[in-house]
Amino acid sequence: MAGILAWFWNERFWLPHNVTWADLKNTEEATFPQAEDLYLAFPLAFCIFMVRLIFERFIAKPCAIALNIQASGPQIAPPNAILEKVFTAITKHPDEKRLEGLSKQLDWDVRSIQRWFRQRRNQEKPSTLTRFCESMWRFSFYLYVFTYGVRFLKKTPWLWNTRHCWYNYPYQPLTTDLHYYYILELSFYWSLMFSQFTDIKRKDFGIMFLHHLVSILLITFSYVNNMARVGTLVLCLHDSADAFLEAAKMANYAKFQKMCDLLFVMFAMVFITTRLGIFPLWVLNTTLFESWEIVGPYPSWWVFNLLLLLVQGLNCFWSYLIVKIACKAVSRGKAGKWNPLHVSKDDRSDIESSSDEEDSEPPRKNAHTATTTNGTSGTNGYLLTGSSSLDD
């Protein structure tokens, strides 16, 4: 174990040339980041999770009820032993051949069977009240941590001149505010890493898991080798748009559509500006070029920048989804009467449904007249109406 630890903490990997761990030990004159500080994130992550439970129950839920958001979930599928057996044992998304077989067996038309499977899938989805409470918690945290980050950074020299991130590196003392900011962010991402297995399951679960993992690696990595100054710029920049998204989702759940549309447009503008403009031109510029000029490259420098480039790749992916939503909304508006709901829908919608008119139809006997629409269970293949919502 001693050999493994010695290999892992190799100074020639983590630190610039001629710098040792002994040089970065805490003294009476200065305090530097220590790897053992990061253990604080685990109990704090648990505390954040407990605060979230209290917040959602005693603050978010009463707010949701005051906004007339009901705790009831989607429409319950009528009991049917044959369809239930297929749903639980074979498939939740039957193909056309299986639908035809079930139609003949039950003497139902295909559209009614599709509706049953859609309603049965939706039974397992959380209610709008649950979604609202989750979004309100995230909105509150993102707003707090972004406000704290801005108040902290505006007093620092590296916000106004990024070259200060590398002057006298790595002998840059750790301040109390910077330590609190880093540990708070790391604790929150650890809480998300664990809670996402119990939170609302979304179609981009894999991408979000990768995002949380990369975020934890970046925060940990930059803290250990004292790249915390540039790390604070990355954190604050990426927190800037999140509160708008969660606010838009809350407005959508409360059916304040005009507010939802406005908040989503604001989110899209801030997201694309910060992550496709400011982040590469400001942050990546200093980590790739200014640091090369002032400090020079070393092994962990390459790893840190590769992680930042991976973050930029995720930023491009999400920006593509946002632009895709906006383009579809504009095209729908031009094709007919403008519907502001199109702005607030997401291709990664959390819940499937078709029109209320369709869902209200009772199962009909098989007259072989019902058809599907674009093979998407009675939808138009674009954004599903009903309780779909934005996601980050």
Side-chain angles (χ1 to χ4, degrees):
M1 181 59 68
I4 293 174
L5 290 175
W7 168 82
F8 181 81
W9 293 111
N10 188 301
E11 294 166 339
R12 298 286 58 82
F13 171 80
W14 288 96
L15 302 174
H17 186 62
N18 292 331
V19 180
T20 66
W21 292 119
D23 298 330
L24 298 177
K25 288 294 183 181
N26 292 334
T27 65
E28 294 181 359
E29 292 77 21
T31 300
F32 300 103
Q34 305 296 315
E36 53 267 24
D37 297 343
L38 299 175
Y39 289 126
L40 290 171
F42 294 104
L44 286 176
F46 176 76
C47 291
I48 288 176
F49 181 73
M50 296 305 297
V51 170
R52 171 187 171 175
L53 296 180
I54 296 172
F55 179 91
E56 290 186 354
R57 179 170 183 177
F58 295 104
I59 299 178
K61 187 175 180 179
C63 291
I65 294 174
L67 293 171
N68 295 321
I69 296 176
Q70 303 298 322
S72 58
Q75 184 177 353
I76 304 298
N80 187 291
I82 296 175
L83 295 181
E84 185 68 26
K85 183 177 181 180
V86 173
F87 182 87
T88 55
I90 302 176
T91 178
K92 296 181 180 181
H93 299 271
D95 56 21
E96 185 176 349
K97 183 178 180 181
R98 190 175 299 278
L99 287 172
E100 291 291 343
L102 291 171
S103 176
K104 294 178 181 179
Q105 184 178 0
L106 297 173
D107 198 24
W108 285 16
D109 61 58
V110 171
R111 190 175 182 181
S112 298
I113 297 174
Q114 287 178 321
R115 185 187 306 109
W116 188 94
F117 274 92
R118 182 175 58 254
Q119 292 174 348
R120 182 61 182 84
R121 289 192 297 268
N122 288 344
Q123 282 180 219
E124 301 179 354
K125 304 295 177 78
S127 66
T128 303
L129 179 66
T130 302
R131 298 171 190 270
F132 180 90
C133 292
E134 179 183 313
S135 292
M136 188 171 179
W137 159 250
R138 296 196 181 197
F139 167 78
S140 301
F141 182 87
Y142 288 137
L143 183 62
Y144 167 74
V145 77
F146 175 68
T147 303
Y148 179 87
V150 170
R151 292 180 61 187
F152 162 67
L153 284 172
K154 71 180 182 180
K155 299 180 292 185
T156 64
W158 60 87
L159 175 65
W160 315 105
N161 182 358
T162 53
R163 298 177 72 89
H164 281 278
C165 293
W166 313 108
Y167 290 151
N168 198 36
Y169 175 84
Y171 306 106
Q172 298 168 342
L174 178 69
T175 65
T176 303
D177 290 341
L178 194 154
H179 178 259
Y180 170 77
Y181 189 27
Y182 245 70
I183 296 301
L184 179 64
E185 289 273 15
L186 181 60
S187 302
F188 179 69
Y189 278 109
W190 270 119
S191 71
L192 289 181
M193 176 67 80
F194 296 121
S195 66
Q196 68 177 345
F197 294 98
T198 58
D199 283 344
I200 299 170
K201 295 294 188 298
R202 295 183 172 90
K203 296 179 181 179
D204 63 346
F205 175 86
I207 295 294
M208 290 306 300
F209 182 85
L210 177 62
H211 171 267
H212 298 333
L213 181 61
V214 172
S215 299
I216 290 172
L217 288 175
L218 267 172
I219 295 172
T220 302
F221 207 88
S222 58
Y223 187 87
V224 169
N225 64 2
N226 205 13
M227 289 185 178
R229 290 187 176 184
V230 74
T232 58
L233 300 180
V234 176
L235 290 171
C236 190
L237 196 65
H238 281 74
D239 289 335
S240 60
D242 293 332
F244 287 108
L245 177 60
E246 299 302 333
K249 291 160 67 174
M250 291 164 58
N252 189 40
Y253 299 145
K255 299 182 180 179
F256 299 149
Q257 286 307 141
K258 290 185 178 180
M259 182 182 296
C260 174
D261 300 335
L262 176 61
L263 289 168
F264 181 78
V265 170
M266 295 172 65
F267 158 74
M269 293 174 62
V270 173
F271 188 98
I272 294 174
T273 300
T274 55
R275 304 199 186 193
L276 296 189
I278 299 176
F279 181 69
L281 296 178
W282 188 46
V283 175
L284 291 182
N285 176 68
T286 192
T287 60
L288 288 170
F289 303 110
E290 292 180 348
S291 64
W292 183 295
E293 177 186 346
I294 298 172
V295 180
Y298 51 99
S300 66
W301 179 94
W302 290 100
V303 175
F304 181 68
N305 279 285
L306 285 174
L307 289 173
L308 288 178
L309 291 173
L310 179 57
V311 169
Q312 182 60 16
L314 293 173
N315 290 339
C316 293
F317 171 76
W318 281 312
S319 297
Y320 160 75
L321 292 179
I322 293 170
V323 172
K324 186 178 178 181
I325 295 169
C327 290
K328 286 185 176 180
V330 171
S331 64
R332 291 281 170 176
K334 290 181 178 179
K337 184 178 179 181
W338 168 254
N339 183 356
L341 286 172
H342 290 153
V343 178
S344 60
K345 305 298 182 184
D346 192 329
D347 284 287
R348 299 168 294 156
S349 69
D350 297 321
I351 189 168
E352 303 171 80
S353 66
S354 57
S355 66
D356 295 335
E357 179 182 356
E358 178 186 334
D359 284 342
S360 64
E361 294 177 5
R364 296 172 294 176
K365 296 298 182 181
N366 187 4
H368 300 286
T369 58
T371 59
T372 62
T373 308
N374 293 340
T376 54
S377 304
T379 69
N380 60 9
Y382 163 48
L383 297 172
L384 306 170
T385 59
S387 301
S388 65
S389 67
L390 295 164
D391 185 20
D392 50 341

